[in-house]
Amino acid sequence: MSTPAVEFAVRPSTRPLPAEQRDAILAAPGFGRSFTDHMVTIKWTAEHGWHDAEVRPYASIPLDPANMTLHYGQSIFEGLKAYRRPDGTVALFRPDANAARFRRSAARLAMPELPVELFVEACARLVRQDLAWVPQGGETSLYLRPFMFATEVALGVRPASEYLFVVIASPAGPYFTGGVEPVSVWLSQEYVRAAPGGTGEAKCAGNYAASLSAQAEAARHGCDQVVWLDATERRWVEEMGGMNLFFVWGSGDDATLVTPELTGTLLPGITRDSLLRLAGDLGHRTEERRVSVAEWRANAADGTLSEVFACGTAAVVTPVGEVRSAQGDWTVSGGSTGKVTMRLREALLDIQTGRAADPYGWVHTVA
Ligand SMILES: *Cc1c(COP(=O)(O)O)cnc(C)c1O
């Protein structure tokens, strides 16, 4: 059975933000504070499947107090960016990969799986509708936030029979305004992000809710971010906050890049996947394997571990400097930003922003 085509209705805003106000926002957008004039919504019901796709004015969504999401948390999301390129075109970075992951997240939370083409079309249509909101220059972008939640009104515990898929967009400035600075991290030994058999691989709202007390604990210890360890032994390094980690052994062209393997409790990042590919093509050895806290500490001390960085869509690549834990503190590469980190950061951003050609087919032009 083939899925019937879903037609998009377009209902432009009658009250878009005046251009001067929009330009003032675009001059210093920050992250996730301002939203564009439109959003895309697509409904799903058990009876009708995907239907009522609409590009419409950005607006509140009415919420019944017995909305199932509020009680049982069927809520998943994605994050991806559209960049305005030097040749004037606007392109999304690997939207098909986000679409595929969104389907896997949906499956894990017993939610309906949106077809990849529909996800990509929804993102592309929103960018085209709000093209004037895509910032120009530097490392600025239009951040897209596709998400889906249950809309059925009922308190019985079971998968809902109605959902809403939504895409909203928010202009994003460069993540680092005063140069790329390493973050400090707290090793969380009390809290875990994900356990075997849990939802660690799914990009679901609940994972973030569960991470907030650990993040607060990290802040209490004077750290910028929390580092997650495995739930079973508290011995293996998994992720940093909402980002994947890379470890660099050796230096220069001989450096080997190691990233924790996807054991089922890590979120499979698209930035992680892209960097593995890029690093290999830049001549580095790459490995996906487990990395222990003991190894991190000992090899930072003897200097064989030269750099550590985190990666994800929002910040792209962030160096990690100081590590603090209940067992003591240590520093990687004297707390400065490493060369391999910067080289990979540039190589990826060059492709994303259109400063360099894309030999991988990652860039998806939408306008
Ligand atoms: C989204 C996310 C990442 C990064 O994924 P990207 O696709 O690279 O943005 C890493 N870890 C967690 C927990 C996440 O939620």
Side-chain angles (χ1 to χ4, degrees):
M1 196 183 85
S2 71
T3 330
V6 177
E7 297 291 332
F8 280 79
V10 181
R11 188 154 54 83
S13 171
T14 53
R15 293 186 300 121
L17 198 69
E20 321 79 83
Q21 287 180 42
R22 186 185 61 228
D23 291 344
I25 291 172
L26 293 185
F31 182 79
R33 292 196 313 240
S34 313
F35 299 92
T36 64
D37 294 313
H38 297 86
M39 63 184 188
V40 169
T41 55
I42 310 177
K43 290 178 184 161
W44 186 92
T45 58
E47 191 181 353
H48 299 295
W50 298 104
H51 65 283
D52 273 5
E54 235 193 329
V55 180
R56 54 159 159 146
Y58 185 98
S60 316
I61 296 168
L63 207 53
D64 188 286
N67 169 293
M68 285 175 80
T69 306
L70 296 178
H71 302 273
Y72 308 126
Q74 277 184 296
S75 177
I76 59 171
F77 69 95
E78 272 301 328
L80 68 164
K81 285 176 169 175
Y83 290 94
R84 195 179 286 280
R85 303 156 66 79
D87 66 1
T89 60
V90 171
L92 292 167
F93 185 71
R94 303 189 69 183
D96 48 330
N98 293 93
R101 187 170 66 191
F102 196 64
R103 286 173 65 85
R104 297 196 302 272
S105 298
R108 178 63 184 84
L109 271 80
M111 298 167 83
E113 295 171 49
L114 183 71
V116 168
E117 317 75 65
L118 210 46
F119 178 103
V120 175
E121 186 179 354
C123 293
R125 279 180 176 269
L126 183 59
V127 173
R128 283 198 287 270
Q129 189 71 36
D130 284 330
L131 206 54
W133 283 91
V134 185
Q136 175 109 50
E139 288 162 9
T140 63
S141 61
L142 184 66
Y143 179 80
L144 300 187
R145 171 54 64 87
F147 60 104
M148 176 166 56
F149 61 100
T151 48
E152 190 184 346
V153 173
L155 292 182
V157 179
R158 55 173 169 74
S161 62
E162 294 173 19
Y163 297 87
L164 189 67
F165 169 73
V166 188
V167 191
I168 55 175
S170 174
Y175 196 86
F176 296 97
T177 43
V180 180
E181 287 291 332
V183 296
S184 55
V185 296
W186 170 254
L187 297 191
S188 175
Q189 278 156 319
E190 185 176 342
Y191 300 109
V192 293
R193 191 189 81 90
T199 56
E201 268 184 335
K203 216 167 170 69
C204 61
N207 287 347
Y208 277 74
S211 77
L212 299 176
S213 2
Q215 179 60 42
E217 186 188 61
R220 275 198 301 280
H221 287 94
C223 294
D224 302 309
Q225 289 285 337
V226 58
V227 160
W228 304 109
L229 306 178
D230 75 292
T232 316
E233 299 180 74
R234 304 285 207 280
R235 181 176 163 207
W236 307 104
V237 181
E238 298 208 323
E239 301 194 54
M240 181 192 92
M243 301 175 82
N244 295 113
L245 283 166
F246 273 86
F247 295 80
V248 183
W249 268 275
S251 61
D253 291 339
D254 278 342
T256 298
L257 277 92
V258 180
T259 189
E261 69 176 309
L262 302 176
T263 55
T265 51
L266 279 76
L267 196 289
I270 293 157
T271 317
R272 172 190 182 278
D273 183 73
S274 307
L275 287 171
L276 273 174
R277 184 75 193 273
L278 271 180
D281 288 357
L282 287 171
H284 294 292
R285 275 181 306 277
T286 60
E287 291 173 18
E288 294 176 73
R289 62 165 171 87
R290 297 209 289 181
V291 175
S292 70
V293 173
E295 197 180 6
W296 186 351
R297 184 174 193 163
N299 290 350
D302 68 22
T304 50
L305 177 68
S306 55
E307 303 175 29
V308 178
F309 64 87
C311 66
T313 296
V316 189
V317 166
T318 306
V320 177
E322 197 184 345
V323 186
R324 294 189 190 163
S325 75
Q327 279 75 47
D329 308 343
W330 67 92
T331 304
V332 181
S333 65
S336 64
T337 300
K339 287 205 179 69
V340 176
T341 302
M342 283 310 276
R343 184 176 181 214
L344 280 164
R345 183 173 191 279
E346 288 306 308
L348 181 56
L349 271 160
D350 283 349
I351 294 176
Q352 291 175 327
T353 59
R355 295 190 297 237
D358 165 27
Y360 306 106
W362 286 341
V363 162
H364 181 94
T365 305
V366 294

